[in-house]
Amino acid sequence: MGNGEQRGKVALVTGASRGIGRAVAIQLARDGAKVICVSRSEASATPTAEAIRADGGESDPFAVDVSRAEAVQAACRDILEKHGRVDILVNCAGINRDNMCLLMTDDEWNAVLATDLSSCFHWTKHLCRSMVRNRWGRVINISSVIGLVGNGGQANYAAAKAGVIAFTKSIARELASRNITANAIAPGFIDTDMTAPLPEAIREKVLEQIPLRKFGRPEDVASAVSFLASDRSSYITGHVLNVDGGMVMA
Ligand code: NAP
């Protein structure tokens, strides 16, 4: 349940069609924000926007391939023209293309880096000007515990997610004087389309490494985003918040 504390704010959530991004978009709308739901196609983004409207919230779908720099730049221009501002940016769109490093193709490497890391740079670069102007903003980047500890078969994904953390800390330093915070969330194993293909034996092995003995739900990540997007977190920046049932403890 939301408390309306984001009323008057505009949020943009990438990867909003499914899984974690969908739960984040719905939560921020319950918190009172108008939410722009970004995913690859109009057809995939629209159901989340419709669910928000059915729940009494405000939302627009927006289709753009976040891995394409020029497309993101053009999207930011259109969005700022239509909505005037974006106060909360949640970079959640992501893919994995797993393979052992020695077998990994350039396409597998480049697709993950472009979608999971470079997209954060492009959205931040083109949307933060409006936050700077308003002297308030929140950037929340979805990383992963894999970006903290690495994983065999996921060198591309781990590098991208570690990059997201370093990127977040750097922009946190750059934007702090303008009252903009930037934080990363490192989810552990969350039940979504991304983790669904994993074989049962691997799921059981992962479960053994989670002290809370359960997989996370997209809503677990959404409530962390809701906090980091709010004024309740105004003295927190450059932080990495693990949402992982205790899987990785520093
Ligand atoms: P998911 O269910 O597979 O959803 C992925 C989302 O990203 C979809 O909305 C998809 O849009 C969007 N997307 C992918 N490539 C895109 C592109 N090129 N342009 C625009 N949108 C694109 O994934 P998830 O599990 O919710 O993961 C969300 C984020 O959390 C990812 O960054 C992931 O790395 C991270 N994460 C997940 C877990 C986990 O256990 N699930 C753990 C740690 C971190 P379409 O529907 O249009 O394809």
Side-chain angles (χ1 to χ4, degrees), residues 21-174:
R22 178 180 162 94
V24 167
I26 288 171
Q27 182 60 53
L28 291 177
R30 286 187 179 157
D31 292 344
K34 182 200 284 183
V35 182
I36 301 157
C37 294
V38 174
S39 70
R40 255 185 287 229
S41 69
E42 193 85 15
S44 67
T46 298
T48 304
E50 281 176 353
I52 288 172
R53 287 192 218 123
D55 202 26
E58 265 188 280
S59 184
D60 267 356
F62 200 97
V64 59
D65 179 348
V66 303
S67 69
R68 293 183 47 234
E70 333 73 59
V72 171
Q73 182 172 5
C76 291
R77 207 181 310 120
D78 291 353
I79 286 163
L80 288 175
E81 218 173 277
K82 178 166 182 200
H83 298 277
R85 59 195 292 156
V86 170
D87 308 286
I88 300 162
L89 166 63
V90 185
N91 283 303
C92 185
I95 55 167
N96 51 6
R97 294 284 180 272
D98 298 355
N99 210 342
M100 299 306 282
C101 182
L102 298 187
L103 301 174
M104 190 172 284
T105 64
D106 283 1
D107 281 352
E108 287 166 341
W109 175 268
N110 290 331
V112 172
L113 269 288
T115 307
D116 295 28
L117 176 58
S118 301
S119 64
C120 296
F121 161 59
H122 294 118
W123 285 108
T124 303
K125 175 172 173 168
H126 298 299
L127 287 183
C128 278
R129 285 205 181 97
S130 111
M131 298 183 197
V132 167
R133 235 187 348 263
N134 296 326
R135 295 289 191 273
W136 194 97
R138 296 285 184 266
V139 181
I140 299 153
N141 295 323
I142 307 300
S143 176
S144 166
V145 291
I146 302 300
L148 297 170
V149 299
N151 196 21
Q154 290 199 303
N156 48 359
Y157 186 76
K161 293 302 187 180
V164 167
I165 290 172
F167 173 73
T168 305
K169 290 180 178 179
S170 302
I171 59 164
R173 290 179 187 277
E174 290 183 18

Side-chain angles (χ1 to χ4, degrees), residues 216-237:
R217 301 164 306 131
E219 291 74 19
D220 295 320
V221 182
S223 57
V225 172
S226 167
F227 169 64
L228 289 174
S230 74
D231 276 327
R232 287 171 285 133
S233 68
S234 57
Y235 201 56
I236 300 173
T237 196

